[in-house]
Amino acid sequence: MTKDVIALTPAMPDTTAMLVALAAGGADLDVSPAGDGAVIQLLGAGGRPLVSVEAPVLVQVPGETERLLGTPSATPVWWTETRASTAVPEAVALAGAVAGRLAEVLGGVVWPEGAGRVGGVEVASAASAAPAPVGALPTVDVVTESTAVVLADRPVVPLTAWLSDVLRTTAAYGAALHIVTPSHCRLSLPLRSALTGAPNRWVVQDPGGGYYDGLSGAVLGWRDGTFAPTRDGAGQARPAEAFTRPDASGERRLTVSFRTEHPAERELTLGRSLEAAWRILTGEPPAGWGTAEPVNLPWSPRLLTDLARARVPEPTLITVVGRPERPALATVRVTRTAGGVEEDVTLTLGYGPTEEPPAALPALAEELVARHGLISMLVSAGPGRRDLGVAPRIAPPPLPLSFTLGGAGVAETGLTFARRPPLALKPVQVGPARRPGLHYPLGDGTDPTGWDALGILLAHLRTSVPTAG
């Protein structure tokens, strides 16, 4: 039974509904706020968190519940997530009772189906671990000196606000976050990006026994309070057999990574470069955006800009999604720099085996150079799930399709030099004639030598001597 239970309700859980839900554990359990008030905890003996209830989120973006839970739901819908601790056996039932009561009072449903209940839950067991220390993160399943372990079992493990807090806290202490899931689970792209690089890991339970790293495939073992690769006699990590079975679905992804820079002017509106790219590649604008998953807000460059301004000088990281019929997801990092404001965008689109990605890359390069202050853009394609979930199995790396250098880079390099790389390709001049950019086709996504060509091109551009062009 999953330890994460979600109430999806048409009305916001008000004070009365929350009191009814939290009373599921009886009068012997204490209630305590956590996470600066964004989380409510039900505490058992010794103050150990049994269940955490996150602040309700109004999801206004069509398709988000289906993307993350596999459950279609009308929007808008209030999403209230409860999470059970593994320290007490009754905690999972208690989480289901809290969500079930919310759904009963407000006329909603509970995910997963069958997890909700309206009866009370008597907590008779003692916690299987010591009481939580002051300031500890709620319902983290295992904490050692080096590692925080979170257990998850859901179709897609998303980068929720709670999990973002866990990542920030562990990083501040120099500790690792290890997310442990069964092999049928997938990661969302934002969470996969957040887990990139040691010491964080996605730990997958191998159907054949043991554990392996869902991103690298290395067989893992629990040693000295953390998951670490199991090495052979030569000191090499061993790959898990379950990881090495490739996906033969024929599904693919197109990934567009670009960076833009704008003057830090009062009239600046962020997100317009992403919207332009989205329209060119899909024919429509993004559907929604947010700072965590589920993505809850309808697409609004103005509100995105207001948020980024309020967070200066800290950077702003957001997730943007499209409509369910055209899977697309982007992460955007907005940073204030000495030269202005930069947007780092990674936009990923999913395609089935019979769908063809749009042949619109030169038009995209033209638009971003001409109107959105493009610094550079790399487009690549490769195998990957159409729904954009990340499965714990090997996948060939994507291959480059094109690279675009913006007007500032071409001016610095020199137009004549930049348009003559030592390669059998002809760059296309894009953007305004007075300050053009260059679009370099690198292949059709089937030739691995495309990476070699990109390396030669970048080395050529770095070694230029500025000229009059």
Side-chain angles (χ1 to χ4, degrees):
M1 181 181 294
T2 180
K3 57 192 285 296
D4 299 341
V5 187
I6 299 165
L8 301 170
T9 60
M12 178 181 178
D14 57 14
T15 301
T16 300
M18 291 301 296
L19 288 174
V20 171
L22 295 172
D28 293 334
L29 300 185
D30 293 327
V31 177
S32 173
D36 295 326
V39 177
I40 299 174
Q41 300 179 91
L42 282 173
L43 306 179
R48 186 74 185 183
L50 303 179
V51 171
S52 67
V53 184
E54 293 192 28
V57 175
L58 178 59
V59 178
Q60 305 174 68
V61 182
E64 268 300 89
T65 59
E66 186 170 5
R67 179 177 75 89
L68 296 177
L69 302 178
T71 301
S73 175
T75 51
V77 64
W78 287 92
W79 173 306
T80 306
E81 186 149 346
T82 65
R83 181 172 293 101
S85 169
T86 54
V88 174
E90 296 91 343
V92 171
L94 181 57
V98 172
R101 288 186 171 202
L102 284 176
E104 178 76 11
V105 170
L106 300 170
V109 298
V110 172
W111 178 92
E113 185 178 357
R117 53 187 293 174
V118 296
V121 176
E122 181 181 355
V123 180
S125 304
S128 61
V134 174
L137 290 160
T139 57
V140 169
D141 296 286
V142 177
V143 179
T144 70
E145 290 185 358
S146 65
T147 305
V149 178
V150 171
L151 308 181
D153 185 357
R154 50 204 295 174
V156 177
V157 185
L159 186 60
T160 63
W162 172 79
L163 202 49
S164 295
D165 286 341
V166 175
L167 273 165
R168 282 191 292 268
T169 301
T170 53
Y173 285 97
L177 172 62
H178 289 181
I179 299 176
V180 182
T181 75
S183 59
H184 62 259
C185 297
R186 307 185 301 279
L187 301 187
S188 70
L189 281 177
L191 180 55
R192 190 259 181 267
S193 298
L195 287 179
T196 299
N200 301 320
R201 289 190 187 279
W202 177 20
V203 181
V204 179
Q205 296 171 317
D206 194 323
Y211 299 89
Y212 66 94
D213 190 303
L215 301 180
S216 73
V219 174
L220 302 174
W222 181 260
R223 294 190 304 277
D224 300 324
T226 194
F227 284 99
T230 300
R231 303 189 181 278
D232 58 22
Q236 300 298 313
R238 297 187 294 110
E241 182 181 351
F243 181 81
T244 59
R245 302 181 190 129
D247 180 6
S249 68
E251 297 180 336
R252 294 169 295 163
R253 289 181 186 164
L254 181 74
T255 301
V256 181
S257 300
F258 64 88
R259 187 158 56 102
T260 62
E261 185 175 52
H262 321 278
E265 300 171 340
R266 182 178 297 275
E267 297 77 16
L268 173 64
T269 301
L270 299 170
R272 287 180 171 171
S273 60
L274 174 60
E275 180 174 331
W278 212 292
R279 287 182 181 276
I280 288 172
L281 296 176
T282 73
E284 57 188 16
W289 73 286
T291 56
E293 296 176 289
V295 172
N296 62 317
L297 299 171
W299 175 245
S300 172
R302 180 182 61 80
L303 293 180
L304 189 164
T305 304
D306 291 345
L307 175 67
R309 283 200 174 110
R311 291 189 171 185
V312 172
E314 296 299 318
T316 297
L317 182 64
I318 67 166
T319 298
V320 184
V321 295
R323 300 190 179 278
E325 58 271 17
R326 164 43 54 220
L329 185 147
T331 56
V332 183
R333 183 181 179 88
V334 179
T335 309
R336 183 72 166 88
T337 67
V341 180
E342 286 189 2
E343 293 179 281
D344 284 289
V345 177
T346 299
L347 168 59
T348 305
L349 302 97
Y351 297 91
T354 62
E355 295 176 305
E356 288 296 329
L361 299 185
L364 175 59
E366 173 72 33
E367 172 69 18
L368 294 182
V369 171
R371 297 177 180 85
H372 299 283
L374 181 73
I375 297 174
S376 63
M377 176 174 67
L378 175 65
V379 182
S380 60
R385 293 179 61 101
R386 183 181 187 273
D387 63 14
L388 306 182
V390 179
R393 62 175 60 182
I394 194 169
L399 298 174
L401 299 178
S402 65
F403 176 79
T404 304
L405 184 64
V410 170
E412 181 179 354
T413 302
L415 178 59
T416 301
F417 188 87
R419 69 194 312 171
R420 295 177 180 174
L423 294 165
L425 60 84
K426 184 177 181 180
V428 178
Q429 185 169 313
V430 292
R434 59 182 176 76
R435 195 175 176 84
L438 288 173
H439 176 70
Y440 302 86
L442 295 172
D444 60 1
T446 62
D447 186 356
T449 62
W451 286 116
D452 296 330
L454 177 62
I456 293 170
L457 171 62
L458 295 180
H460 173 76
L461 296 175
R462 284 194 297 265
T463 56
S464 69
V465 177
T467 70

PDB file of all heavy atoms in Angstrom, residues 254 280-281 351 356-364:
ATOM      1  N   LEU A 254      12.292  15.299 -28.271  1.00  0.00           N
ATOM      2  CA  LEU A 254      13.045  16.427 -28.810  1.00  0.00           C
ATOM      3  C   LEU A 254      13.349  17.352 -27.645  1.00  0.00           C
ATOM      4  O   LEU A 254      12.446  17.730 -26.890  1.00  0.00           O
ATOM      5  CB  LEU A 254      12.204  17.152 -29.863  1.00  0.00           C
ATOM      6  CG  LEU A 254      12.858  18.357 -30.555  1.00  0.00           C
ATOM      7  CD1 LEU A 254      13.906  17.877 -31.549  1.00  0.00           C
ATOM      8  CD2 LEU A 254      11.800  19.203 -31.266  1.00  0.00           C
ATOM      9  N   ILE A 280       5.899  27.747 -31.882  1.00  0.00           N
ATOM     10  CA  ILE A 280       6.499  27.295 -33.141  1.00  0.00           C
ATOM     11  C   ILE A 280       6.539  25.773 -33.214  1.00  0.00           C
ATOM     12  O   ILE A 280       6.287  25.172 -34.261  1.00  0.00           O
ATOM     13  CB  ILE A 280       7.907  27.891 -33.296  1.00  0.00           C
ATOM     14  CG1 ILE A 280       7.805  29.397 -33.599  1.00  0.00           C
ATOM     15  CG2 ILE A 280       8.692  27.185 -34.396  1.00  0.00           C
ATOM     16  CD1 ILE A 280       9.131  30.120 -33.576  1.00  0.00           C
ATOM     17  N   LEU A 281       6.807  25.107 -32.085  1.00  0.00           N
ATOM     18  CA  LEU A 281       6.987  23.655 -32.087  1.00  0.00           C
ATOM     19  C   LEU A 281       5.690  22.884 -31.879  1.00  0.00           C
ATOM     20  O   LEU A 281       5.613  21.707 -32.234  1.00  0.00           O
ATOM     21  CB  LEU A 281       8.000  23.261 -31.008  1.00  0.00           C
ATOM     22  CG  LEU A 281       9.423  23.789 -31.213  1.00  0.00           C
ATOM     23  CD1 LEU A 281      10.305  23.426 -30.031  1.00  0.00           C
ATOM     24  CD2 LEU A 281      10.025  23.254 -32.508  1.00  0.00           C
ATOM     25  N   TYR A 351       7.168  12.260 -28.468  1.00  0.00           N
ATOM     26  CA  TYR A 351       6.547  11.843 -29.726  1.00  0.00           C
ATOM     27  C   TYR A 351       6.422  10.324 -29.752  1.00  0.00           C
ATOM     28  O   TYR A 351       7.314   9.605 -29.311  1.00  0.00           O
ATOM     29  CB  TYR A 351       7.397  12.299 -30.923  1.00  0.00           C
ATOM     30  CG  TYR A 351       7.510  13.800 -31.017  1.00  0.00           C
ATOM     31  CD1 TYR A 351       8.549  14.482 -30.393  1.00  0.00           C
ATOM     32  CD2 TYR A 351       6.556  14.541 -31.704  1.00  0.00           C
ATOM     33  CE1 TYR A 351       8.643  15.867 -30.456  1.00  0.00           C
ATOM     34  CE2 TYR A 351       6.639  15.927 -31.775  1.00  0.00           C
ATOM     35  CZ  TYR A 351       7.684  16.576 -31.151  1.00  0.00           C
ATOM     36  OH  TYR A 351       7.760  17.952 -31.207  1.00  0.00           O
ATOM     37  N   GLU A 356       6.113  12.621 -36.140  1.00  0.00           N
ATOM     38  CA  GLU A 356       7.355  13.256 -36.571  1.00  0.00           C
ATOM     39  C   GLU A 356       7.515  14.612 -35.881  1.00  0.00           C
ATOM     40  O   GLU A 356       6.582  15.416 -35.873  1.00  0.00           O
ATOM     41  CB  GLU A 356       7.364  13.467 -38.082  1.00  0.00           C
ATOM     42  CG  GLU A 356       7.529  12.185 -38.881  1.00  0.00           C
ATOM     43  CD  GLU A 356       8.878  11.523 -38.635  1.00  0.00           C
ATOM     44  OE1 GLU A 356       9.866  12.251 -38.366  1.00  0.00           O
ATOM     45  OE2 GLU A 356       8.942  10.287 -38.714  1.00  0.00           O
ATOM     46  N   PRO A 357       8.694  14.875 -35.276  1.00  0.00           N
ATOM     47  CA  PRO A 357       8.936  16.208 -34.714  1.00  0.00           C
ATOM     48  C   PRO A 357       8.856  17.272 -35.804  1.00  0.00           C
ATOM     49  O   PRO A 357       9.123  16.988 -36.981  1.00  0.00           O
ATOM     50  CB  PRO A 357      10.363  16.095 -34.148  1.00  0.00           C
ATOM     51  CG  PRO A 357      10.589  14.635 -33.952  1.00  0.00           C
ATOM     52  CD  PRO A 357       9.808  13.957 -35.047  1.00  0.00           C
ATOM     53  N   PRO A 358       8.492  18.491 -35.453  1.00  0.00           N
ATOM     54  CA  PRO A 358       8.336  19.538 -36.469  1.00  0.00           C
ATOM     55  C   PRO A 358       9.670  19.928 -37.099  1.00  0.00           C
ATOM     56  O   PRO A 358      10.694  19.972 -36.423  1.00  0.00           O
ATOM     57  CB  PRO A 358       7.748  20.705 -35.678  1.00  0.00           C
ATOM     58  CG  PRO A 358       8.187  20.461 -34.266  1.00  0.00           C
ATOM     59  CD  PRO A 358       8.200  18.978 -34.100  1.00  0.00           C
ATOM     60  N   ALA A 359       9.630  20.213 -38.405  1.00  0.00           N
ATOM     61  CA  ALA A 359      10.833  20.661 -39.124  1.00  0.00           C
ATOM     62  C   ALA A 359      10.892  22.176 -39.077  1.00  0.00           C
ATOM     63  O   ALA A 359      10.911  22.852 -40.104  1.00  0.00           O
ATOM     64  CB  ALA A 359      10.803  20.153 -40.557  1.00  0.00           C
ATOM     65  N   ALA A 360      10.928  22.719 -37.868  1.00  0.00           N
ATOM     66  CA  ALA A 360      10.802  24.171 -37.702  1.00  0.00           C
ATOM     67  C   ALA A 360      12.003  24.768 -36.988  1.00  0.00           C
ATOM     68  O   ALA A 360      11.907  25.893 -36.472  1.00  0.00           O
ATOM     69  CB  ALA A 360       9.520  24.480 -36.919  1.00  0.00           C
ATOM     70  N   LEU A 361      13.125  24.072 -36.957  1.00  0.00           N
ATOM     71  CA  LEU A 361      14.258  24.576 -36.175  1.00  0.00           C
ATOM     72  C   LEU A 361      14.844  25.861 -36.753  1.00  0.00           C
ATOM     73  O   LEU A 361      15.177  26.774 -35.981  1.00  0.00           O
ATOM     74  CB  LEU A 361      15.322  23.485 -36.049  1.00  0.00           C
ATOM     75  CG  LEU A 361      14.847  22.202 -35.342  1.00  0.00           C
ATOM     76  CD1 LEU A 361      16.011  21.246 -35.159  1.00  0.00           C
ATOM     77  CD2 LEU A 361      14.184  22.518 -34.005  1.00  0.00           C
ATOM     78  N   PRO A 362      15.006  26.016 -38.073  1.00  0.00           N
ATOM     79  CA  PRO A 362      15.484  27.318 -38.570  1.00  0.00           C
ATOM     80  C   PRO A 362      14.535  28.461 -38.227  1.00  0.00           C
ATOM     81  O   PRO A 362      14.981  29.568 -37.889  1.00  0.00           O
ATOM     82  CB  PRO A 362      15.575  27.091 -40.088  1.00  0.00           C
ATOM     83  CG  PRO A 362      15.761  25.615 -40.248  1.00  0.00           C
ATOM     84  CD  PRO A 362      14.930  25.012 -39.147  1.00  0.00           C
ATOM     85  N   ALA A 363      13.214  28.206 -38.296  1.00  0.00           N
ATOM     86  CA  ALA A 363      12.251  29.253 -37.935  1.00  0.00           C
ATOM     87  C   ALA A 363      12.351  29.593 -36.458  1.00  0.00           C
ATOM     88  O   ALA A 363      12.227  30.767 -36.068  1.00  0.00           O
ATOM     89  CB  ALA A 363      10.837  28.796 -38.283  1.00  0.00           C
ATOM     90  N   LEU A 364      12.579  28.586 -35.611  1.00  0.00           N
ATOM     91  CA  LEU A 364      12.751  28.828 -34.180  1.00  0.00           C
ATOM     92  C   LEU A 364      13.999  29.662 -33.934  1.00  0.00           C
ATOM     93  O   LEU A 364      13.982  30.617 -33.140  1.00  0.00           O
ATOM     94  CB  LEU A 364      12.834  27.494 -33.444  1.00  0.00           C
ATOM     95  CG  LEU A 364      13.127  27.560 -31.947  1.00  0.00           C
ATOM     96  CD1 LEU A 364      12.073  28.373 -31.218  1.00  0.00           C
ATOM     97  CD2 LEU A 364      13.220  26.150 -31.366  1.00  0.00           C
TER      98      LEU A 364
END
